[in-house]
Amino acid sequence: LTVAGVVMVAGKPVVEGVQSGDKLIRVDPLDVAGATMGEVANALRGEPGSVRVLVIERGGERFTVAAKVSRLP
């Protein structure tokens, strides 16, 4: 799953370290390969303030990003 865009709030990305064009590999325990969009969306949801650990691939390298769940106005 390729990140198509990044939401910005007050001039900063909502999830630091994620860029357009990055590939989302894993959300917490969910392997995104073979998952439906609904499964990925459900894995990203949670209570505001909870954290989801994302595995991102950019330029052939993988890294993790801790993404805090928030509600946008």
Side-chain angles (χ1 to χ4, degrees):
L1 179 66
T2 300
V3 176
V6 177
V7 176
M8 305 288 278
V9 174
K12 295 183 353 183
V14 172
V15 179
E16 294 282 338
V18 178
Q19 301 176 5
S20 293
D22 286 350
K23 295 194 183 313
L24 181 61
I25 304 300
R26 183 177 292 279
V27 179
D28 287 327
L30 177 68
D31 185 358
V32 172
T36 66
M37 286 299 292
E39 291 169 328
V40 174
N42 285 337
L44 289 168
R45 290 188 180 105
E47 291 297 315
S50 61
V51 175
R52 299 291 175 262
V53 176
L54 312 178
V55 175
I56 302 292
E57 184 176 289
R58 182 186 309 141
E61 294 193 30
R62 291 186 179 184
F63 57 95
T64 60
V65 174
K68 188 185 291 188
V69 175
S70 61
R71 299 290 180 259
L72 299 175

